[in-house]
Amino acid sequence: MAAASDYFQLTIERLQRLWKTQREKIEIAAELCAERISNGGLIFCFGSGHSRMMCEEMTPRQGGFVGFYALVEQALSNHAAIVGPNGLRGPLYLEKIDGYADEILRSFRFGPHDAFIIISTSGVRPLIVEMALGAKERGMPVIGVVSKEHCEATNASHSTGLKLIDVADIVLDNHCPPGDCIIELDGLEWRTGPVSTVTGGMLINMLRVSVAERLLQRGHKPVILPSHQFIGDTTAEEQLEDFYEAYRKSLSHLFAE
């Protein structure tokens, strides 16, 4: 259990560091999101590969609410087969192609109050940088969720020489080390024990609850996605239908002519 104990302790240390250093920035990001959502905007959450998990942690998720949109591109995230069809090589290749993010963004009609959260532990892939640049060019502010340590230590790979930390208006640091993993074991050349899932999930949920708090302060009651596991609870079923309808209405400007 030594490795498991080490992972637990090292992860707790990083969460404590996150708490000490990111509270103010989370509140700034929450204010931006609350202002946008209360004015009818959407907060797009984008990440490729594993970072997609943080998008879906925000929505659709019990306790999530209308105003966030998980922009999940299947070609960049459906790689569980690893080899063969829907393998890992394709998404890793697509992340390097200039122009791909812009093709995704062209499928939407963004509104004047929309914004983006872009999640990438490295923050240097061309896809990620181009997504941030594309959002900014369309008048939307960008919140970046990234490992500053990793991003600063890695060479830029986008043609502009920019990284996510150079483009984002607000940077939330997930406090992952370069390479994400934190456990070294004798006999292994590479580390194991990735930590971005834990610290990224903490950032996303701190942001979520702070946005909800600020929306209420603005007189805008968020429409919550309830747990649908309360068997026989008709109020939960009604709330779920309310969520579906409110979410549908929130998307009305995306595909409008």
Side-chain angles (χ1 to χ4, degrees):
M1 289 292 291
S5 176
D6 288 347
Y7 179 81
F8 179 84
Q9 294 298 331
L10 290 171
T11 301
I12 292 297
E13 289 174 11
R14 290 184 180 274
L15 286 172
Q16 290 172 334
R17 198 181 311 162
L18 184 154
W19 169 246
K20 291 177 181 178
T21 64
Q22 300 304 297
R23 283 178 290 177
E24 182 177 344
K25 290 185 177 180
I26 288 170
E27 292 304 318
I28 293 171
E31 180 62 25
L32 169 64
C33 293
E35 184 273 326
R36 296 281 162 152
I37 292 172
S38 65
N39 283 290
L42 288 170
I43 311 300
F44 290 82
C45 301
F46 179 81
S48 65
H50 177 264
S51 293
R52 165 191 173 174
M53 292 178 65
M54 296 303 103
C55 302
E56 294 181 344
E57 180 66 18
M58 183 64 90
T59 187
R61 186 75 163 91
Q62 279 77 14
F65 48 88
V66 173
F68 293 95
Y69 182 99
L71 203 173
V72 174
E73 189 75 5
Q74 290 288 336
L76 298 164
S77 304
N78 185 16
H79 51 240
I82 302 179
V83 296
N86 301 309
L88 189 55
R89 295 180 190 272
L92 290 177
Y93 178 77
L94 289 173
E95 289 181 348
K96 303 174 185 178
I97 298 177
D98 284 6
Y100 187 32
D102 193 62
E103 290 300 315
I104 297 172
L105 291 170
R106 288 175 60 192
S107 295
F108 297 92
R109 296 286 187 270
F110 296 103
H113 299 291
D114 294 341
F116 259 78
I117 299 173
I118 297 180
I119 302 143
S120 170
T121 291
S122 69
V124 298
R125 295 277 186 172
L127 171 77
I128 292 299
V129 175
E130 185 179 302
M131 187 64 72
L133 289 170
K136 295 290 289 290
E137 288 167 3
R138 290 164 172 80
M140 290 176 283
V142 172
I143 299 165
V145 178
V146 64
S147 164
K148 287 189 68 178
E149 184 182 1
H150 188 136
C151 194
E152 290 170 351
T154 306
N155 292 330
S157 56
H158 189 257
S159 57
T160 60
L162 296 172
K163 305 176 184 181
L164 181 56
I165 55 175
D166 301 319
V167 183
D169 299 284
I170 302 168
V171 174
L172 301 180
D173 186 358
N174 68 15
H175 280 279
C176 290
D180 199 348
C181 296
I182 57 175
I183 296 298
E184 295 181 358
L185 295 174
D186 290 340
L188 284 181
E189 297 84 1
W190 297 89
R191 292 180 180 181
T192 186
V195 74
S196 64
T197 311
V198 181
T199 59
M202 179 62 74
L203 277 175
I204 285 294
N205 280 288
M206 289 176 69
L207 179 62
R208 181 215 314 277
V209 299
S210 186
V211 173
E213 180 180 46
R214 288 169 182 272
L215 285 172
L216 288 170
Q217 291 168 353
R218 289 170 171 266
H220 182 103
K221 185 178 179 180
V223 182
I224 297 288
L225 172 61
S227 173
H228 45 273
Q229 302 302 325
F230 293 115
I231 299 173
D233 186 342
T234 57
T235 60
E237 293 175 3
E238 291 170 3
Q239 179 64 23
L240 183 58
E241 291 302 319
D242 290 345
F243 174 83
Y244 286 147
E245 180 60 14
Y247 187 78
R248 183 190 66 78
K249 290 179 179 178
S250 76
L251 307 183
S252 59
H253 69 273
L254 287 187
F255 311 106
E257 293 298 332

